[in-house]
């Protein structure tokens, strides 16, 4: 049967074409015309010049011309069509429809097949095939699917199917002998969901049994975690615990785009960190410096952060539901546990970074949680791993202390893998392949899910490169390995007269002495602890006691304190008992509608309160919303904050100054988004700057005053245009009162559609009539 499927392809050798011509026909036939930007640009130019779309023969001639001029390959169209006609002969083999049905069968949602996956995975592991490459794993899985399909769906010839697939591949694939180098480039990132800062988290449940896809997408905020976002994540995890159909979690993040992706191919390749997996845990609605954050808010946020991490670890270890985290960007230290603390299935790309001593070159996130000992748990794990590492090139002892005091050290893929902070390294261009591979085996039920997922991930990994930490391996071990105190470290460093040693000593000297000593002792103590909860309790008590210590120094900076570092390590039993039991369900009910970034944005700039910017609204003392007597403007919904921001009357401040309309905008003029007032034309075009001058020119017989500024697109020679302007009545020398009471309407006041000015309340409601010179 296999011969029958190879004959058709082999028949090409009997055609009257050379191997060179056959190769050219293959390349021409398989060329990606839709994705060729140059060809498409030329095609658009041609089609725009003619009324009808090109015919098949015309299109073929265009492609022929392009192929010969751009790709230097001549194609004889008559010969090509003969070859193509032969290639497209319909198959008379009755097995082909069966093969196509097998290819299209939905194995992912076949419960019976998914239940059989554990035995398939177990057999592969038993045969020593747990680390197969991608092609080998796909072949094994195809064999298993074929066995299942032939037994439970319909019989078919598997060897013949393989021969048919090879023939299909040879006909559709390019003739280039190096095609394998670019065909396996990958499918790119699957994280390109539209950014939505208000819907930070998107989840996709499996159709039947499998992984819950969890996607974070707010790159404009650096994917930071607020209390509300942590609470919503906890709600998602609660569903994972309850649903038996969810076997695992696949967690990705839209880390943004990099200018490196759009660089000129001819330009120099420069490493530039621009993508963020997470910019950290931040205090909501605060623009305060780290040192002045509300201690109550800080404690609450730490409880939320630790409680969420504890839930993730419980899902992975107790429920045997693996958590796959794909880190494709920078990770701020305050959120490092979310990326690297869950353990087991941590996938990183070349964009993943972490630093325990963040360099100044990386802009810190405003309002980041004040936790001076953030990451202590990870440092302890690294220090502990170094003691038991028996690999060919083991980690240097004392490496945890080294990372805590090595300035500007950015950990990238090779180091993250070496230190045990990540389990798999893949190219960022293959993240979609990773997702498909994991989801294809995630239906394997616990406790076998982890083995199945690791097998799928092992088939996708690549070598990350050599670890930078190995360069200073012997020096790290000598300076930090046996040091009993920070003083010992400094003494050991003094033996080396090089920049490496000098930079570390300078960094230690720059630290507050008590903090430096606590950090050294903290790494030593946490490396002896075995659980996440024990480690985090130690981290918490150090952070709280040290913050209290700093606060006491600020209150009384005249007296010296006799500091005993041992007291910092004493448990805070009441607070520590609640670290992992935060009541997310009750808390979120009161904070569900919190506007997470209304008070401050990630770049640290505070948004202007429109009610404070408006000169009329600002006079309404104590009112935060629009006052009840604010005039109605047809078509404008003032319940929308954007409407208040866009109000064109904010500039109508009664300023003392020149009446020259070409003068610059006054210093107290409010900012209007999207308008550059450094442009003189912008000032000229503003119809309200004339309100600065309280001394008006003599009355004009013209309908429009001589000093009225020009407004682009408005013809004021048209009397109707002048009538529609509600501000021409503000000419103080033209006021004619129809009443001497409050809210009198001037005779020359224009008509405003929908407003009855015979009603005294209408006049009272207008904030601009007060500008009339009574």
């Amino acid at each position: 049967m296999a011969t029958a499927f190879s004959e058709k392809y082999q028949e090409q050798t009997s055609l009257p074409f050379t191997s060179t011509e056959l190769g050219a026909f293959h390349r021409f036939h398989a060329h990606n015309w839709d994705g060729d930007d140059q060809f498409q640009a030329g095609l658009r130019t041609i089609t725009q010049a003619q009324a009808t779309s090109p015919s098949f023969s015309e299109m073929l001639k265009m492609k022929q011309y392009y192929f010969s001029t751009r790709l230097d390959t001549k194609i004889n169209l008559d010969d090509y069509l003969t070859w193509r006609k032969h290639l497209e002969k319909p198959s008379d083999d009755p097995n082909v429809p069966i093969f196509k049905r097998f290819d299209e069968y939905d194995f992912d949602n076949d419960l019976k097949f998914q239940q059989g996956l554990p035995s398939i995975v177990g057999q592969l592991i038993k045969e020593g095939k747990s680390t197969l490459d991608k092609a080998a794993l796909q072949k094994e899985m195809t064999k298993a699917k074929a066995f299942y399909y032939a037994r439970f769906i319909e019989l078919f010839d598997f060897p013949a199917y393989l021969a048919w697939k090879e023939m299909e591949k040879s006909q559709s694939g390019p003739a280039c002998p190096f095609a394998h180098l670019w065909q396996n480039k990958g499918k790119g990132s699957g994280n390109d969901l539209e950014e939505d800062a208000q819907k930070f988290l998107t989840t996709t449940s499996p159709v039947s049994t499998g992984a819950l896809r969890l996607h974070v997408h707010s790159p404009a905020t650096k994917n930071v975690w607020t209390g509300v976002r942590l609470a919503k994540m906890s709600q998602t995890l609660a569903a994972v615990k309850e649903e038996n159909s969810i076997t695992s979690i696949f967690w990705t993040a839209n880390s943004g785009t990099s200018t490196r992706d759009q660089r000129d191919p001819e330009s120099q390749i420069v490493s530039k960190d621009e993508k963020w997996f997470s910019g950290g845990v931040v205090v909501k609605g605060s623009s305060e410096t780290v040192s002045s954050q509300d201690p109550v808010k800080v404690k609450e946020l730490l409880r939320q952060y630790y409680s969420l991490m504890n839930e993730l670890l419980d899902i992975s270890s107790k429920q045997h539901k693996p958590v796959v985290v794909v880190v494709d960007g920078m990770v701020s230290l305050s959120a490092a546990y979310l990326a690297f603390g869950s353990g087991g299935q941590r996938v990183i790309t070349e964009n993943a970074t972490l630093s325990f001593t963040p360099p100044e070159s990386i802009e810190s996130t405003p309002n980041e949680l004040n936790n001076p000992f953030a990451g202590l748990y990870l440092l302890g794990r690294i220090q502990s791993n170094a003691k038991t590492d028996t690999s060919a090139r083991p980690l240097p002892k004392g490496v945890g202390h080294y990372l805590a005091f090595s300035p500007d050290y950015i950990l990238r893929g090779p180091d993250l893998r070496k230190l045990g902070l990540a389990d798999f390294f893949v190219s960022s261009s293959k993240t979609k392949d990773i997702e498909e591979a994991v989801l294809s085996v995630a239906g394997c039920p616990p406790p076998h899910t982890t083995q199945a997922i690791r097998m799928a991930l092992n088939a996708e990994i690549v070598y990350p490169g050599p670890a930078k930490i190995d360069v200073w391996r012997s020096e790290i071990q000598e300076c930090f390995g046996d040091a009993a105190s920070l003083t010992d470290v400094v003494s050991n460093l003094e033996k080396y007269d090089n920049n490496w040693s000098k930079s570390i000593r300078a960094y230690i000297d720059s630290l507050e002495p008590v903090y430096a000593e606590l950090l050294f002792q903290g790494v030593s103590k946490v490396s002896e602890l075995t659980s996440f909860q024990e480690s985090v309790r130690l981290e918490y008590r150090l952070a709280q006691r040290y913050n209290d210590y700093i606060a006491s120094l600020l209150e009384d900076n005249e007296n010296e304190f006799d500091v005993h570092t041992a007291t910092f390590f004493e448990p805070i039993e009441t607070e520590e008992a609640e670290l992992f039991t935060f009541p997310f369900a009750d808390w979120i009910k009161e904070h569900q509608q919190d506007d997470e970034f209304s008070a401050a944005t990630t770049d640290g700039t505070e948004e202007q309160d429109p009610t404070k910017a408006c000169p009329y609204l600002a006079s309404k003392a104590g009112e935060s919303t629009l006052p009840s007597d604010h005039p109605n403007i047809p078509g404008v919904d003032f319940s929308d904050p954007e409407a208040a921001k866009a109000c064109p009357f904010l500039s109508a401040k009664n300023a003392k100054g020149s009446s020259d309309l070409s003068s610059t905008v006054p210093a107290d003029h409010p900012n209007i988004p999207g308008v550059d007032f450094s442009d003189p034309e912008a000032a000229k075009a503003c119809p309200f700057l004339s309100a600065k001058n309280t001394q008006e020119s003599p009355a004009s017989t013209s309908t429009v005053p001589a000093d009225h500024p020009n407004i682009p697109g408005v013809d004021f020679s048209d009397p109707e245009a002048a009538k529609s302007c509600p501000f021409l009545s503000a000419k103080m020398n033209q006021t004619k009162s129809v009443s001497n009471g409050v809210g009198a309407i001037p005779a020359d006041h224009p008509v405003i559609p929908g407003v009855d000015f015979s009603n005294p309340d209408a006049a009272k409601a207008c904030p601009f009539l007060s500008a009339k010179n009574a």
Side-chain angles (χ1 to χ4, degrees), residues 747-758:
D748 62 347
H749 193 285
V751 174
I752 299 177
V755 178
D756 179 13
F757 277 108
S758 64

Side-chain angles (χ1 to χ4, degrees), residues 261-533:
D261 298 336
Q262 293 85 36
R263 72 176 185 86
D264 182 353
E266 302 298 323
S267 65
Q268 182 180 2
I269 298 177
V270 179
S271 178
K272 190 175 182 181
D273 295 317
E274 299 172 287
K275 305 178 76 172
W276 283 95
F277 176 81
S278 179
V281 180
V282 299
V283 179
K284 180 190 80 68
S286 171
S287 58
E288 302 171 335
T289 59
V290 168
S291 60
S292 60
Q293 289 177 359
D294 182 355
V296 176
K297 285 186 178 180
V298 170
K299 290 180 180 181
E300 179 181 70
L301 200 52
L302 280 172
R303 282 187 63 200
Q304 291 176 311
Y305 177 48
Y306 295 149
S307 294
L308 182 66
M309 267 307 304
N310 195 60
E311 290 177 21
L312 279 169
L313 291 169
D314 280 351
I315 289 173
S316 179
S317 61
K318 295 182 180 179
Q319 293 194 302
H320 303 291
K321 296 184 177 183
V323 179
V324 181
V325 185
V326 181
V327 183
D328 184 33
M330 296 180 282
V331 181
S332 183
L333 193 57
S334 63
Y337 297 162
L338 295 174
F340 304 112
S342 59
Q345 329 304 324
R346 299 159 297 181
V347 181
I348 59 171
T349 73
E350 71 278 8
N351 298 315
T353 69
L354 176 69
S355 178
F356 292 98
T357 54
E360 294 181 0
S361 60
I362 298 179
E363 183 181 358
S364 61
T365 304
N367 321 322
E368 190 168 5
L369 179 65
N370 180 15
N371 180 9
F373 296 91
L376 189 62
Y377 166 65
L378 296 180
L379 287 172
R381 298 281 60 74
I382 293 170
Q383 186 89 336
S384 178
N385 291 340
K387 297 176 182 177
T388 58
D389 191 352
T390 58
S391 62
R393 288 186 64 81
L395 286 170
K397 289 181 173 57
V399 65
H401 283 132
Y402 167 67
L403 294 173
F405 295 100
S406 181
D408 301 341
Y409 194 152
I410 301 177
L411 298 173
R412 301 186 184 277
D415 284 314
L416 292 171
R417 282 285 292 116
K418 176 83 174 180
L419 295 166
L421 295 178
D423 305 289
F424 305 92
F425 180 88
V426 300
S427 167
S428 59
S429 66
K430 306 272 282 185
T431 51
K432 186 62 178 176
D433 293 346
I434 284 289
E435 181 174 349
E436 291 180 357
V438 169
L439 296 180
S440 69
V441 298
C444 189
H448 309 285
T449 318
T450 300
Q451 284 184 323
I453 287 178
R454 290 188 68 85
M455 183 178 296
L457 290 172
N458 275 323
E460 302 286 348
I461 61 173
V462 294
Y463 174 58
K468 187 171 69 171
I469 203 165
D470 282 337
V471 175
W472 300 101
R473 184 173 173 278
S474 60
E475 288 85 350
I476 293 171
Q477 181 133 340
E478 183 172 346
C479 296
F480 293 88
D482 298 321
S485 67
L486 197 57
T487 303
D488 292 343
V489 170
V490 174
S491 298
N492 293 335
L493 288 169
E494 289 173 348
K495 300 174 184 177
Y496 293 89
D497 187 22
N498 55 25
N499 291 333
W500 176 81
S501 170
K502 291 176 182 177
S503 65
I504 298 174
R505 281 182 284 156
Y507 178 74
I508 293 174
D509 289 341
S510 70
L511 298 175
E512 196 279 321
V514 173
Y515 170 72
E517 186 59 37
L518 289 174
L519 182 57
F520 183 89
Q521 293 183 34
V523 173
S524 299
K525 291 182 181 295
V526 81
S527 67
E528 299 172 357
L529 303 176
T530 57
S531 73
F532 171 77
Q533 290 193 4

